[in-house]
Amino acid sequence: VSVSRAIKPFAEPGRPPDWFSQKHCASQYSELLETTETPKRKRGEKGEVVETVEDVIVRKLTAERVEELKKMIKETQEKYRQLKKDAELIQAGHMDNRLEELCNEIMMCVT
């Protein structure tokens, strides 16, 4: 229960209400354990830190999330550049013939 409550604030919009149920979290974790390769144990000195399955899962999910965030940042930057370019064209008077169309597009996005 504590895990499902702890991760709820980080949810993406559109998740179903039962997504954070204890049962669903347990099944997702079980699936992760089944699909993750168990790291091979190495012979070595005592006290050597051995990577666990949980460590592999954390590293994998972290890498995936970093890639998702990089993609989101890139998309946001591209959208910003386009909006900035459009704003400059509007201020320069080059888009006067499309102002009504642009206004309608903005209204569609807002609603």
Side-chain angles (χ1 to χ4, degrees):
V1 176
S2 62
V3 172
S4 61
R5 283 188 193 142
I7 63 174
K8 199 168 190 171
F10 303 103
E12 296 113 10
R15 291 283 185 200
D18 67 337
W19 183 259
F20 296 102
S21 70
Q22 188 175 2
K23 183 178 177 181
H24 190 264
C25 286
S27 68
Q28 290 292 317
Y29 183 69
S30 177
E31 184 179 324
L32 278 172
L33 287 175
E34 291 172 6
T35 58
T36 303
E37 284 189 35
T38 307
K40 295 181 181 175
R41 295 191 176 258
K42 298 177 184 176
R43 291 186 181 186
E45 299 176 20
K46 288 187 177 181
E48 182 179 329
V49 177
V50 177
E51 189 174 52
T52 64
V53 176
E54 290 83 4
D55 295 333
V56 173
I57 290 171
V58 168
R59 190 176 63 247
K60 176 185 169 190
L61 293 176
T62 300
E64 287 176 7
R65 185 62 178 154
V66 166
E67 289 305 313
E68 288 174 9
L69 292 172
K70 284 181 181 178
K71 183 179 176 185
M72 287 172 57
I73 288 169
K74 185 176 181 181
E75 290 171 357
T76 302
Q77 287 173 336
E78 288 173 6
K79 186 175 180 179
Y80 170 78
R81 283 188 204 104
Q82 183 60 45
L83 290 172
K84 186 175 179 180
K85 181 180 173 185
D86 289 348
E88 289 170 354
L89 289 172
I90 290 169
Q91 288 176 344
H94 297 294
M95 303 274 284
D96 288 347
N97 57 343
R98 290 194 56 221
L99 284 179
E100 188 173 331
E101 179 185 336
L102 291 171
C103 191
N104 289 334
E105 285 179 24
I106 292 169
M107 295 304 285
M108 294 290 279
C109 292
V110 171
T111 58

